[in-house]
Amino acid sequence: MSKFLPNKEEDYSLWYNELVKKADLAENSAVRGCMVIKPYGFSIWEKMQQTLDLMFKETGHVNAYFPLFIPKSFLSKEASHVEGFAKECAVVTHYRLKNSPDGKSVIVDPEAKLEEELIVRPTSETVIWSTYKTWIQSYRDLPLLVNQWANVVRWEMRTRLFLRTTEFLWQEGHTAHATKGQAIEETEKMLEVYATFAEEFMAMPVIKGVKTANERFAGAEETYCIEALMQDGKALQAGTSHFLGQNFAKAFDVQFTNKEGRLEHVWGTSWGVSTRLMGALIMAHSDNDGLVLPPKLAPIQVVIVPIFKNEEQLNLITQKVNTLLPLLKKSGVSVKFDDRDTQTPGFKFADYELKGVPVRIAVGPRDIEQGTAEVARRDTKEKKSYAFDDLGTIIPKLLEDIQENIYKKAIDFRNSKTIAVNTWDEFMTKIEEGGFLSAHWDGTSETEEKIKELSKATIRCIPLDSKAELGKCIYSGKESNQRVLFARAY
RNA sequence: CGGGGUGUAGCGUAGCCCGGUAUCGCGUCAGCAUGGGGUGCUGGAGGUCGUCGGUUCAAAUCCGGCCACCCCGACCA
């Protein structure tokens, strides 16, 4: 058990906060609510970006970039959109500073007031749709499939590293289509991309579903989501994909001439995932010794730690290791040989465990004599000796095993924490234990809000694969024809 | 934004009630020994006590404003 991290069973939040800092992922900054993402943390985010970007390209999307600032008037063009975001917008009112009269500081120059104030984007629908108006005239211009990687700002009351920060990084896809069907298909396709990414790369099982009206994106007709379960039993929305209907097209008057020569409003979607995925990744797998990273997203997949008393021994080990490095690199394994003599092996072991490196290979004089190496896997902490010459083939296989194993562990956990409940008493008891509760709901916002008020649990989603089933609402006792998923959430 | 808490060396802390410029651990630096799970010993460096103001001969300590962070609530990806 680590002496360097709080125990996650005792204080989950403290454990999370300390882990983020000690594993060198991120830290708080001089600006309230904003974080500094440190190089190691950013390299994980970069791997996520690279993977997702490739998936977006493979599904026909192209990247572009729209401005950080949005004219204030744009936001109010779509009624529910402004209502959803107005409360958390940073506003630019001036464009110049000047020296204060006493010369000791700078002040806002009152002469430099903007005629129209700008908001810092909380999301880019408005500025993008105002642009799409000029890009789209004909059905031949559709579909328009654009993504952007950007930062956004939402002025949150309470922030937590990665999970909710005032500024965060994300990607936002914004597409325009000729028909409703195509837009819905796009919305569902991108949800599928997110689910695949979460499960195959993050090794984090997710439930695909649609949000209730209360939880829907401001300006959307339908919000699809992937929901994951963290180790403390709380749910986390990991990605969303919105069917926007013609709402933004109407708000920004984006019309096209169809094949029959008639003018129609286009159909839109938007979809995004953010640096919040980092928080999800951390909370999905890590333990009291530190991060546990899935090999597919680990910046360093394998670390080799030499154990030596003198330079002569290190030279022997280095020679041996140099025969392995090209083999691993050829198999696409990212490997680091940590031959620093400024830290002890024990320190390195603990440090790479804290950082979540999936596989560690230790090579010492005894190994050199016997032609072996000690291989330790981060997920199970299991250590095993192998013939050194077999490592080139064993390691890639081991990385696949680890990727599978942590996924399996996560899905077993989620399954054990997903239960069906049928009475209000049962609901209130089980919600205390965390996890997803599958229960009947009468479909009204009033009931949803009442349940939230009493239990602190929200409807995470109506799962896409939920079967029609007659029953009685857990709270009101009214008729219901399917179960929905409740949980306390991040 | 409401309620509670915290802020002392890079990090974690003692001291605060009962005023007299600061304790310990980790880290850091030097040397020697060590090296298969966060090495040991010896010596050294490092502090506007969050910040601004007030009380006082004297403030880390008492009082007030502000800032930041943590926990709980409301809001949210």
Side-chain angles (χ1 to χ4, degrees):
Chain A
M1 200 77 5
S2 170
K3 309 184 282 278
F4 303 91
L5 274 181
N7 195 291
K8 86 176 148 75
E9 285 71 28
E10 278 166 23
D11 191 337
Y12 195 82
S13 310
L14 190 65
W15 167 81
Y16 174 83
N17 291 337
E18 286 296 306
L19 175 53
V20 168
K21 288 177 205 159
K22 295 217 163 116
D24 263 342
L25 302 179
E27 62 190 38
N28 287 305
S29 70
V31 183
R32 180 198 190 106
C34 294
M35 64 179 164
V36 174
I37 304 175
K38 298 184 75 176
Y40 187 64
F42 201 79
S43 67
I44 298 171
W45 174 242
E46 281 178 318
K47 293 213 81 160
M48 289 183 169
Q49 280 186 299
Q50 284 157 13
T51 307
L52 283 165
D53 201 62
L54 198 65
M55 293 171 93
F56 298 156
K57 302 277 170 62
E58 278 169 357
T59 44
H61 302 86
V62 289
N63 284 330
Y65 187 79
F66 293 84
L68 171 66
F69 301 118
I70 297 176
K72 198 180 68 180
S73 60
F74 278 25
L75 200 69
S76 48
K77 293 202 174 178
E78 210 290 328
S80 60
H81 191 68
V82 65
E83 197 184 322
F85 286 107
K87 293 187 295 281
E88 50 190 42
C89 285
V91 185
V92 181
T93 55
H94 292 76
Y95 58 85
R96 193 165 62 211
L97 298 172
K98 65 173 191 180
N99 285 324
S100 62
D102 66 8
K104 285 183 181 158
S105 61
V106 287
I107 59 169
V108 173
D109 185 345
E111 303 286 302
K113 194 160 161 43
L114 287 173
E115 286 205 9
E116 179 173 6
E117 290 161 341
L118 299 170
I119 62 165
V120 180
R121 63 179 164 220
T123 179
S124 302
E125 272 77 4
T126 57
V127 68
I128 287 179
W129 281 90
S130 78
T131 308
Y132 280 3
K133 178 178 167 56
T134 70
W135 289 4
I136 298 168
Q137 278 93 39
S138 152
Y139 71 91
R140 293 191 178 90
D141 299 324
L142 298 172
L144 186 53
L145 306 173
V146 176
N147 176 67
Q148 85 165 339
W149 288 96
N151 59 336
V152 286
V153 166
R154 295 182 188 174
W155 215 266
E156 299 290 349
M157 292 305 168
R158 240 180 110 188
T159 60
R160 287 190 76 190
L161 293 171
F162 290 120
L163 297 174
R164 178 169 297 106
T165 46
T166 300
E167 179 191 16
F168 56 95
L169 306 184
W170 77 347
Q171 59 65 218
E172 46 182 325
H174 295 272
T175 70
H177 306 263
T179 67
K180 180 178 183 179
Q182 284 165 20
I184 291 177
E185 193 184 319
E186 166 79 4
T187 314
E188 288 172 352
K189 181 196 283 176
M190 297 323 287
L191 185 77
E192 204 56 51
V193 165
Y194 289 154
T196 302
F197 174 74
E199 301 196 332
E200 289 184 10
F201 289 85
M202 296 175 70
M204 180 177 78
V206 292
I207 289 168
K208 292 172 282 190
V210 296
K211 287 292 189 188
T212 62
N214 279 353
E215 304 270 328
R216 195 176 289 152
F217 174 74
E221 294 283 308
E222 192 82 89
T223 288
Y224 293 65
C225 63
I226 52 171
E227 291 283 329
L229 192 68
M230 302 295 101
Q231 292 182 78
D232 61 349
K234 283 169 84 171
L236 184 138
Q237 177 177 307
T240 49
S241 182
H242 315 289
F243 168 60
L244 302 174
Q246 294 172 308
N247 292 347
F248 285 92
K250 285 179 178 164
F252 289 90
D253 191 30
V254 184
Q255 300 192 70
F256 72 104
T257 309
N258 66 18
K259 285 182 187 171
E260 287 76 42
R262 283 197 311 272
L263 270 182
E264 276 187 69
H265 284 106
V266 304
W267 298 83
T269 82
S270 67
W271 28 273
V273 294
S274 71
T275 34
R276 186 178 229 208
L277 287 181
M278 292 287 293
L281 185 68
I282 296 159
M283 289 198 290
H285 308 302
S286 302
D287 61 25
N288 284 328
D289 293 317
L291 272 185
V292 174
L293 293 175
K296 286 186 184 176
L297 293 178
I300 302 166
Q301 294 173 312
V302 176
V303 64
I304 304 175
V305 178
I307 291 145
F308 56 97
K309 287 192 170 79
N310 51 49
E311 207 167 314
E312 190 187 337
Q313 282 182 346
L314 177 60
N315 287 340
L316 275 175
I317 294 164
T318 304
Q319 263 176 34
K320 192 77 183 170
V321 167
N322 281 340
T323 65
L324 175 62
L325 294 178
L327 288 178
L328 290 178
K329 283 177 185 160
K330 210 163 70 188
S331 317
V333 174
S334 67
V335 54
K336 174 176 173 176
F337 177 43
D338 186 353
D339 61 354
R340 289 175 297 172
D341 65 354
T342 50
Q343 324 291 136
T344 62
F347 178 90
K348 292 176 186 174
F349 289 180
D351 194 47
Y352 289 112
E353 277 163 12
L354 183 59
K355 297 222 163 86
V357 176
V359 172
R360 179 187 73 233
I361 303 173
V363 189
R366 286 207 300 272
D367 291 301
I368 296 295
E369 248 171 62
Q370 295 162 21
T372 60
E374 182 195 77
V375 175
R377 51 189 286 177
R378 177 63 182 87
D379 59 335
T380 58
K381 307 301 279 311
E382 184 189 10
K383 286 191 276 197
K384 228 167 165 177
S385 217
Y386 291 100
F388 192 92
D389 294 337
D390 292 342
L391 293 179
T393 51
I394 287 169
I395 298 298
K397 178 71 181 56
L398 180 60
L399 289 169
E400 283 174 35
D401 283 354
I402 293 172
Q403 181 82 29
E404 259 173 60
N405 179 55
I406 63 176
Y407 178 72
K408 187 176 180 305
K409 204 171 150 190
I411 202 164
D412 286 348
F413 172 78
R414 190 198 63 193
N415 290 343
S416 74
K417 286 286 203 179
T418 304
I419 54 174
V421 297
N422 297 305
T423 69
W424 179 244
D425 282 351
E426 201 184 352
F427 183 92
M428 290 302 277
T429 309
K430 292 294 181 188
I431 201 69
E432 293 301 323
E433 295 165 19
F436 287 122
L437 300 186
S438 177
H440 280 284
W441 164 60
D442 65 20
T444 67
S445 286
E446 299 76 61
T447 299
E448 183 180 7
E449 271 165 21
K450 198 71 194 168
I451 292 173
K452 181 179 176 185
E453 187 190 321
L454 294 169
S455 68
K456 291 175 192 154
T458 49
I459 298 177
R460 299 320 302 156
C461 68
I462 303 158
L464 294 185
D465 63 4
S466 91
K467 294 183 276 290
E469 177 197 298
L470 287 177
K472 301 264 191 247
C473 172
I474 201 85
Y475 179 75
S476 69
K478 290 182 195 156
E479 297 289 318
S480 153
N481 55 14
Q482 68 175 347
R483 286 175 183 273
V484 300
L485 276 189
F486 287 88
R488 288 186 180 155
Y490 278 98

